[in-house]
């Protein structure tokens, strides 16, 4: 296909149950399938198993995930099995088990209330490294959210990793595209680019996560407790958020500056991942002031609302994906118009 992702996945054809004991314990539901605990028979080691129906979308997810595992901030894949399960072809992805749970749960569970800005910057750096790796490979994740950021273990020294490639997309930068296997007359403009609009939704999500890390509530729901209203939706669309003094007065202006560069509704003005890497708050994260944050306390207070917050975030990210798609289409139109203009000039 020349999309660079249709290479077959290296799968094992033996029954997974010969190698693993599959537990009934569900760890979560992904976009394309559910995740359960499993144990390697010979070692007794615990793993996470993602069960997917063998369809093109699942193959795409696995291919993009496999392509990303050389980054230490991406959840590792141990094995992929191809089995028939009650008449259905399935793909079974054995992953390292992330025993530390979700990012915000771990912040919430901290015994001390001493979560500070420097720690937030270190966490952000790890997420940025993961996204930079993906974007460097031409992969947009498109579902960067708290539930997809997991710690490998509990306690100090735990590594934060990104998971779920169910929405991930391989974009134009693939070399196989540069050696054309299509007749250029017929190629759709979006095949040639611009690819950055797929990437830019990851940066918006990064901005939302950074905001929550620094205060404990999301940027577009500052009047928490209130149900979703048309006004709030409009604020998301317009990128209208605030830094309420109660939680934000002591947060550094560098941090706020970076958030503003990420939560820009215009994807053309939004920072790309390389600009984020160069931003002093990320690049010199070890020198960020250790200002205490309200995050732990607010996450705890809001624990009953967290489920709603996660749902709303999901919706907001989905909306951003759609918006970006529209910008992309608009640009494609604009660029074909440019070609038309030039042609008219010649004539
Ligand atoms: N370990 N989005 C939310 C989980 N180890 N989890 C989700 N998509 C995935 C679940 C629903 C992420 O692709 C997901 C995916 C993969 C995992 C995953 C991978 C590896 C885990 C959907 C745990 C875990 C294990 C033991 C203990 C704990 C968590 O989830 C906890 F700390 F919570 F007790």
């Amino acid at each position: 296909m020349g999309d660079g992702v249709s290479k077959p996945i290296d799968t094992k054809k033996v029954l997974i149950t010969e190698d693993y004991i599959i537990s009934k314990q569900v760890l979560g539901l992904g976009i394309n399938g559910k995740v359960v605990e499993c144990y390697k028979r010979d070692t007794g080691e615990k793993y996470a198993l993602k069960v997917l129906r063998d369809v093109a979308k699942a193959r795409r997810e696995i291919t993009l995930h496999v392509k990303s595992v050389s980054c230490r901030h991406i959840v590792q894949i141990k094995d992929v099995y191809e089995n028939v399960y009650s008449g259905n072809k399935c793909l079974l992805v054995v992953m390292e088990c992330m025993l530390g749970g979700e990012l915000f749960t771990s912040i919430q569970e901290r015994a001390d209330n001493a979560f500070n800005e420097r720690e937030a910057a270190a966490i952000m750096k790890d997420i940025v490294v993961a996204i930079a790796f993906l974007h460097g490979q031409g992969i947009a994740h498109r579902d960067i959210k708290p539930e997809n950021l997991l710690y490998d273990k509990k306690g100090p020294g735990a590594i934060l990793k990104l998971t779920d490639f169910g929405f991930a997309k391989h974009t134009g930068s693939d070399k196989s595209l540069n050696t054309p296997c299509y007749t250029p007359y017929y190629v759709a403009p979006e095949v040639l680019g611009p690819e950055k609009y797929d990437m830019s939704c990851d940066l918006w999500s990064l901005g939302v996560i950074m905001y929550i890390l620094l205060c404990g509530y999301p940027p577009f729901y500052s009047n928490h407790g209130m149900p979703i209203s048309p006004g709030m939706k409009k604020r998301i669309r317009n990128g209208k958020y605030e830094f309420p003094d109660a939680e934000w007065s002591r947060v550094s202006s560098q941090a706020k500056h970076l958030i503003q560069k990420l939560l820009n509704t215009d994807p053309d003005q939004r920072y790309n991942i390389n600009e984020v890497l160069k931003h002093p708050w990320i690049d010199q994260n070890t020198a960020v002031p250790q200002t205490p944050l309200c995050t732990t306390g607010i996450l705890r207070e809001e624990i009953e609302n967290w489920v709603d917050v996660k749902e709303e975030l999901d919706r907001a990210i989905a909306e951003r994906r759609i918006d970006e798609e529209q910008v992309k289409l608009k640009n494609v139109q604009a660029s074909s118009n440019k070609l038309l203009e030039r042609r008219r000039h010649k004539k």
Side-chain angles (χ1 to χ4, degrees):
M1 281 278 290
D3 58 3
V5 295
S6 2
K7 279 182 242 98
I9 313 157
D10 207 1
T11 60
K12 296 193 170 173
K13 307 295 193 298
V14 298
L15 277 180
I16 188 167
T17 48
E18 286 185 18
D19 300 336
Y20 293 89
I21 297 163
I22 299 169
S23 134
K24 293 264 177 292
Q25 183 67 48
V26 177
L27 295 173
L29 298 178
I31 299 147
N32 297 332
K34 78 172 172 188
V35 184
V36 298
E37 263 179 16
C38 70
Y39 297 87
K40 190 131 199 305
R41 284 190 188 276
D42 52 9
T43 63
E45 265 181 303
K46 182 147 116 173
Y47 289 92
L49 173 70
K50 190 166 190 180
V51 185
L52 301 157
R53 285 282 306 277
D54 189 357
V55 292
K57 201 164 171 270
R59 295 222 162 226
R60 206 174 310 135
E61 168 175 347
I62 298 171
T63 311
L64 293 176
H65 193 165
V66 166
K67 207 179 154 176
S68 311
V69 292
S70 56
C71 176
R72 81 179 212 118
H73 293 293
I74 305 285
V75 171
Q76 300 296 294
I77 291 181
K78 186 169 192 319
D79 282 313
V80 182
Y81 288 80
E82 200 177 325
N83 287 172
V84 177
Y85 209 71
S86 58
N88 291 317
K89 277 177 83 181
C90 286
L91 291 166
L92 302 130
V93 188
V94 181
M95 291 175 274
E96 64 174 318
C97 192
M98 303 297 288
L99 297 163
E102 295 177 13
L103 167 63
F104 285 111
T105 313
S106 100
I107 293 173
Q108 200 171 69
E109 282 170 356
R110 279 177 59 126
D112 49 352
N113 266 23
F115 186 61
N116 68 57
E117 192 179 321
R118 189 181 293 174
E119 289 174 276
I123 290 170
M124 279 295 292
K125 171 70 188 269
D126 290 344
I127 306 170
V128 170
V129 165
I131 299 175
F133 180 90
L134 295 181
H135 289 194
Q137 300 265 88
I139 298 168
H141 185 278
R142 300 160 86 227
D143 200 27
I144 309 268
K145 60 183 180 184
E147 302 131 272
N148 288 338
L149 290 162
L150 309 170
Y151 279 109
D152 64 344
K153 58 182 182 208
K154 293 213 182 279
I159 303 170
L160 185 64
K161 303 190 188 195
L162 178 64
T163 194
D164 207 336
F165 284 67
F167 272 124
K169 189 171 165 184
H170 200 274
T171 65
S173 71
D174 187 10
K175 296 287 171 295
S176 68
L177 268 179
N178 298 336
T179 38
C181 55
Y182 46 80
T183 313
Y185 292 133
Y186 307 104
V187 71
E190 63 269 28
V191 174
L192 303 171
E195 65 197 59
K196 68 171 182 179
Y197 297 111
D198 292 318
M199 309 294 190
S200 61
C201 79
D202 287 344
L203 288 130
W204 187 81
S205 307
L206 189 64
V208 175
I209 287 169
M210 178 170 171
Y211 187 103
I212 303 173
L213 269 175
L214 291 172
C215 67
Y217 52 83
F220 303 103
Y221 302 91
S222 42
N223 29 3
H224 23 120
M226 300 284 267
I228 176 84
S229 63
M232 279 181 186
K233 201 163 168 174
K234 201 170 155 193
R235 289 216 310 268
I236 300 172
R237 276 259 158 82
N238 298 333
K240 287 262 183 302
Y241 61 91
E242 281 160 19
F243 294 122
D245 266 342
E247 297 82 20
W248 288 88
S249 63
R250 297 171 66 197
V251 173
S252 73
S253 48
Q254 270 186 344
K256 290 174 186 162
H257 174 263
L258 180 53
I259 288 174
Q260 279 158 352
K261 295 294 177 187
L262 293 169
L263 293 182
N264 193 315
T265 50
D266 180 357
D268 284 314
Q269 284 178 37
R270 198 177 305 153
Y271 264 9
N272 65 36
I273 201 65
N274 292 319
E275 290 170 307
V276 181
L277 273 170
K278 277 187 279 180
H279 192 280
W281 197 79
I282 296 295
D283 182 48
Q284 281 122 251
N285 65 84
T286 52
V288 163
Q290 289 174 290
T291 313
L293 299 170
C294 306
T295 315
T296 306
I298 295 203
L299 282 175
R300 275 201 208 124
E301 279 170 36
E302 296 293 306
I303 193 153
E304 13 11 298
N305 296 330
W306 188 242
V307 181
D308 299 332
V309 167
K310 284 207 273 205
E311 255 171 45
E312 287 313 326
L313 274 177
D314 258 5
R315 243 168 278 166
I317 293 169
E319 214 150 277
R320 190 52 56 204
R321 271 195 300 268
I322 294 164
D323 277 357
E324 245 76 298
E325 208 61 41
Q326 279 161 356
V327 173
K328 205 159 88 179
L329 289 176
K330 247 193 277 178
N331 270 46
V332 164
Q333 258 174 5
S335 66
S336 11
N337 286 350
K338 250 181 251 161
L339 287 174
L340 254 182
E341 262 170 48
R342 211 180 306 152
R343 187 161 165 73
R344 287 206 193 94
H345 255 310
K346 262 195 187 167
K347 275 192 172 173

